[in-house]
Amino acid sequence: MTPSFKDLFAVNGRSVVGMFLCTGDAGVAEICAGSGLDYVLIDGEHGPSGLETILAQLRAVAGYPCVSVVRVPDNDPVVIKQVLDLGAQSLIVPMVNTADQGRHAVAAIRYAPRGIRGVGASLARSARWNRIPRYLENAEEGLTLLVQLESAQAVANAGDIARVDGIDGVFIGPADLAATMGLLGQQDHPDVIAAVLRSIREVKEAGKIVGVNAFVERQARLYEEAGADFINVGADVSLLARGSEALATRYIKDVHSSVPTPAQSY
């Protein structure tokens, strides 16, 4: 099997760095996979990616020394089964607030009798259509399961969630965390940063890998210094939006007057 996300930490003596893929476009995925980043995170939660586009992106990334991670839309065993069968080996399950919800995610990636993942290896890319010897027996060893903590409740339960058997690591989402703390849009608020730092500490004390989303470099560096094992530092859509805006500003006077509002765009 190809390496999964947890394998990155056996070879890197630093924080692992990656970015979101939110366009759903395989060409964009391939460009970003060749950038030198450690991983790319295919977003099936907020982006337009469905099963077909996730598959296309997995194939586009596979030719590069860059690990692909898929964020599924929710903690749904049916969707998790489908994404695993596509050949994803590293998953992020969002909105995990309790240890029980974490155990639910673990069950979804394990075959019976340890879990509830449906058996379809002979039909699926994950086992290369039964070309991988003993796939069913060894599948779990090649998977990485990360759960996302992104609420005040999840932060309060960070240690208990991290200690769930079968969870390899935790990904902290400061945007939703800030919203649940009554600080919508304020990921840089001291209380939010303190909550992230506390979560990093508790997850590491539980012996699991921990990462965080941080597009602002000073925050990314702070979390790196605090011991974050991986940091998500950008997104394809953000890079394109800010880059195209900078280009327009360089060459067009009064550029903002020519930008349509969302209502004008429809």
Side-chain angles (χ1 to χ4, degrees):
M1 296 184 194
T2 56
S4 73
F5 187 71
K6 62 189 176 188
D7 298 320
L8 288 174
F9 301 92
V11 297
N12 283 298
R14 55 170 174 76
S15 294
V16 166
V17 180
M19 65 176 288
F20 271 123
L21 299 178
C22 301
T23 64
D25 184 86
V28 172
E30 184 172 7
I31 291 168
C32 294
S35 66
L37 291 169
D38 298 304
Y39 72 90
V40 287
L41 204 173
I42 300 167
D43 189 16
E45 183 186 18
H46 292 294
S49 290
L51 293 175
E52 290 83 0
T53 51
I54 289 173
L55 175 59
Q57 290 172 86
L58 289 171
R59 285 173 168 160
V61 175
Y64 294 85
C66 179
V67 172
S68 57
V69 184
V70 178
R71 181 163 70 173
V72 294
D74 61 7
N75 196 355
D76 180 341
V78 174
V79 176
I80 290 172
K81 170 184 63 179
Q82 291 176 306
V83 172
L84 289 176
D85 283 350
L86 292 180
Q89 290 178 245
S90 307
L91 299 185
I92 291 181
V93 176
M95 296 292 183
V96 171
N97 297 312
T98 67
D100 280 343
Q101 291 175 354
R103 283 186 278 269
H104 183 77
V106 172
I109 73 165
R110 289 174 167 173
Y111 291 120
R114 286 164 54 81
I116 60 172
R117 179 183 174 185
V119 179
S122 64
L123 310 175
R125 180 176 180 266
S126 57
R128 297 305 187 267
W129 308 277
N130 264 358
R131 291 171 180 163
I132 296 178
R134 301 182 61 82
Y135 174 80
L136 294 176
E137 294 89 341
N138 300 321
E140 188 183 330
E141 296 177 12
L143 301 179
T144 298
L145 175 63
L146 305 171
V147 296
Q148 188 158 346
L149 308 189
E150 45 190 332
S151 71
Q153 181 187 15
V155 167
N157 293 324
D160 290 339
I161 293 170
R163 282 187 287 270
V164 170
D165 176 61
I167 289 177
D168 295 296
V170 164
F171 181 51
I172 303 166
D176 278 302
L177 173 59
T180 68
M181 295 173 67
L183 298 166
L184 181 65
Q186 300 180 61
Q187 293 95 302
D188 58 349
H189 191 283
D191 291 347
V192 176
I193 292 173
V196 172
L197 293 173
R198 183 168 67 252
S199 298
I200 291 172
R201 183 176 65 252
E202 292 188 9
V203 174
K204 290 187 74 69
E205 287 174 355
K208 301 296 177 69
I209 58 176
V210 58
V212 61
N213 204 48
F215 289 7
V216 177
E217 184 175 355
R218 66 177 179 276
Q219 291 177 5
R221 298 297 184 187
L222 173 65
Y223 298 143
E224 181 181 25
E225 291 172 4
D229 298 296
F230 65 99
I231 305 172
N232 210 56
V233 296
D236 53 359
V237 289
S238 297
L239 292 171
L240 184 59
R242 303 295 84 79
S244 59
E245 289 162 6
L247 193 64
T249 299
R250 189 179 307 156
Y251 289 103
I252 301 174
K253 185 178 180 180
D254 300 324
V255 64
H256 296 293
S257 64
S258 68
V259 177
T261 65
Q264 291 173 314
S265 300
Y266 291 141

